[in-house]
Amino acid sequence: MAVDATQAYDDQNVFAKILRGEIPARTVYEDEWALAFHDIHPQAPTHLLVIPKGAYVSWDDFSAHAGADEIAGFVRAVGLVARRAGLVEPGYRLIANTGIDSHQEVPHLHVHIFAGRALGPLLAR
Ligand code: AMP
C-alpha cells in the first residue's frame, strides 16, 4: 500500500519498530541522528536504508519540519554510510520515495542506497 506523504506519522510503522528495537535489523551504522541497515529485499548487490531517528513520514515532512541539526546529521550520515561501505569510487544511487506516485511503502523517511553493479537508467520506462 503506497503512502500518502502528507499523512500523520504512524508510530506502528516497521521502521519505527526497528528504531525502538522491537524487530531486528541488520544494522550497519547508528549515531544520534540516523540508523542504517540492510534492506530486507535487496534490489542491488548493496542495498542499504538510512532513516532519521526522528518521526518523519517522508522527505517532504522532514525537509519542512526537521531542525537544522537533524537535517545536517541525517545528510552527513547518508554520506558516511556510503563512504564507509566503499561505494564512492564505483558509485551509488540514492532514492527517497515520497508519496503515492513514488510507491513509498513505509511511512517513515528512508533513503535507499543502491550500489554494487552498473545501475542503468534512472527510471524504468
Ligand atoms: P519504499 O518503497 O521506498 O517505501 O521502500 C521500503 C523498503 O523497505 C523496501 O525496499 C523493503 O524491502 C524495505 N523493508 C520493509 N520492511 C523491512 C524490514 N523489516 N527490514 C529492512 N527493510 C525492510
Side-chain angles (χ1 to χ4, degrees):
M1 178 82 170
V3 170
D4 172 352
T6 64
Q7 73 186 46
Y9 187 80
D10 170 11
D11 69 3
Q12 294 306 305
N13 78 76
V14 66
F15 294 166
K17 291 179 179 177
I18 286 174
L19 280 172
R20 292 194 295 266
E22 294 170 6
I23 61 173
R26 289 175 58 209
T27 298
V28 297
Y29 179 77
E30 180 168 14
D31 66 17
E32 181 181 358
W33 308 110
L35 180 71
F37 50 90
H38 289 274
D39 194 290
I40 204 166
H41 294 126
Q43 296 185 43
T46 299
H47 184 175
L48 302 171
L49 298 171
V50 191
I51 66 175
K53 291 270 176 93
Y56 298 99
V57 174
S58 65
W59 186 266
D60 182 67
D61 186 17
F62 185 68
S63 60
H65 302 122
D69 286 355
E70 288 180 284
I71 291 173
F74 179 66
V75 171
R76 286 196 190 283
V78 173
L80 189 63
V81 167
R83 206 172 302 120
R84 284 192 177 182
L87 306 180
V88 174
E89 186 55 43
Y92 61 92
R93 178 173 292 162
L94 303 180
I95 291 180
N97 290 320
T98 303
I100 301 288
D101 273 3
S102 76
H103 209 73
Q104 180 182 357
E105 289 182 338
V106 178
H108 182 113
L109 171 61
H110 47 286
V111 171
H112 297 259
I113 302 177
F114 297 104
R117 63 171 168 80
L119 294 167
L122 181 57
L123 296 174
R125 295 193 170 80

